[in-house]
Every structure is written in C-alpha cells, then in structure tokens.
Amino acid sequence: SQYLYLIGDPKQAIYKFRGADIFSYFVAQQQAKQRYTLLHNWRSHPDLVAGVNRLFKRAEPFLFDHLAFNPVHAGRNIDDGRIGDTPPLVLWQLDKSQGNLEHWTSGKAGIAIRDAVINEILQLLGAASIVDAKHGSQPVQPKDIAILVRSNSMAADYQQALNAVGIPAVLNSKQSVFATPQAL
C-alpha cells in the first residue's frame, strides 16, 4: 500500500509575500484525516519562544476561526544565541502626544517606526553581543539582523535609511533585476 502525506503550515500559508493562499490551506485542512503539529521551535531563542507563547495566549491572534495558536517548546539551549541583556521580545507603541494634531498619519507613523528601528539597530551594533554556546560571545553584526516589511518600496526605504547611517543592508526582493537602478 502507498501513502501520500501533504504538509501544510498555517504559519507559512499566511505569508502572502511568499505567494501563499490561506484559503487553499483551509480546504486542505478540512480534507485531512489527521493533523499533527510541531512541538519544538529549533530556530528561536527559548526566551523569545516563551514571549511569543505568552503574547499569543493572551490575545486572539488570528482573524480566522480555522486557525488556532499552538504553543511550542524551545528546542535550543538558553545560552545559545542570547543577545546580551536585550529582552527577546519588545512591543513598541507610538506615543499619542507625538502625533500631529490628534492622530498619526500613516506616512508620519512609518517614518517614526523606521527611525526607531534604525536607532535600535545602531544600539545593538554598538553595544550588544550574541552569546553562543559554541562560539562564545560575538558582537552583533549587520548580517545578524533582518527587517520584515510589507512592500518592496518599504524595504528600499529601510535599506536607504540604514545605508545613510553607515549600516550595510541587502534587499531580498521579487523585483526583476532589470528594474533596478543598476540595470537602468
């Protein structure tokens, strides 16, 4: 007898930028006879795993009833990949009093958020170290940092802002190489 296993990951299926289709996942989910979930996160630091578990348990994180949050255990050691005394998960909120008039515009909020992210990266690059069980303590490098944004234009904006303060940044984009300034 032969078996066919289809593997679907709602955490991946929600990422539209990867060409995912959450509704196709829902259809496949309803047709599946059994569902399994991974119990360990082997990529993230244990403190970050615990923080995400706490955050998602307290709030209803998904817009669709078909999705449920399943807390996971950390697969890594507590000393593997810790960034000094930096908290593993930080939530930022724009200060209401800093917005122009009574509210923030999306443009001004975007600039404020970008500037806060750049300043945080500058602090990490200037003082923080990654503590790794195998390699000891190493200073945080630009290659250790990733910024996820909604659009190619936002990514280019962040790249320019990082370059303006002397931080090298590469851009991963679906844009055609022929549409780049270098090609033009």
Side-chain angles (χ1 to χ4, degrees):
S1 119
Q2 297 179 352
Y3 298 94
L4 172 64
Y5 293 93
L6 299 175
I7 300 172
D9 182 353
K11 292 177 186 142
Q12 300 300 317
I14 62 174
Y15 295 129
K16 187 176 180 182
F17 70 87
R18 292 187 176 167
D21 179 359
I22 190 73
F23 300 105
S24 294
Y25 172 81
F26 291 153
V27 170
Q29 181 186 47
Q30 290 172 352
Q31 294 174 359
K33 292 181 181 173
Q34 291 181 312
R35 284 197 284 172
Y36 300 95
T37 187
L38 296 176
L39 300 176
H40 291 82
N41 176 328
W42 294 95
R43 290 184 176 182
S44 301
H45 189 271
D47 290 341
L48 179 59
V49 173
V52 170
N53 283 341
R54 277 192 305 273
L55 176 67
F56 277 47
K57 277 189 202 176
R58 294 183 72 176
E60 186 60 43
F62 304 115
L63 296 175
F64 301 104
D65 292 335
H66 299 313
L67 292 176
F69 176 72
N70 298 308
V72 296
H73 301 284
R76 292 171 60 179
N77 183 308
I78 194 78
D79 293 324
D80 188 13
R82 182 172 34 89
I83 301 177
D85 294 329
T86 303
L89 180 64
V90 178
L91 300 177
W92 289 343
Q93 182 172 336
L94 293 173
D95 186 356
K96 185 176 180 181
S97 65
Q98 291 177 336
N100 223 357
L101 301 174
E102 293 185 21
H103 65 281
W104 285 90
T105 63
S106 62
K108 288 182 183 179
I111 291 168
I113 292 167
R114 184 203 61 209
D115 291 349
V117 169
I118 301 299
N119 285 326
E120 180 75 10
I121 291 171
L122 284 167
Q123 287 180 357
L124 288 171
L125 293 175
S129 292
I130 298 176
V131 180
D132 184 302
K134 293 179 185 175
H135 303 101
S137 181
Q138 302 290 327
V140 173
Q141 300 292 316
K143 67 180 179 142
D144 299 320
I145 299 169
I147 303 171
L148 301 178
V149 294
R150 291 180 178 242
S151 68
N152 287 337
S153 62
M154 283 180 75
D157 185 42
Y158 271 80
Q159 183 184 37
Q160 289 173 355
L162 287 163
N163 289 334
V165 295
I167 301 172
V170 296
L171 181 65
N172 186 3
S173 169
K174 290 184 178 181
Q175 178 182 12
S176 167
V177 71
F178 297 110
T180 63
Q182 292 82 357
L184 294 175

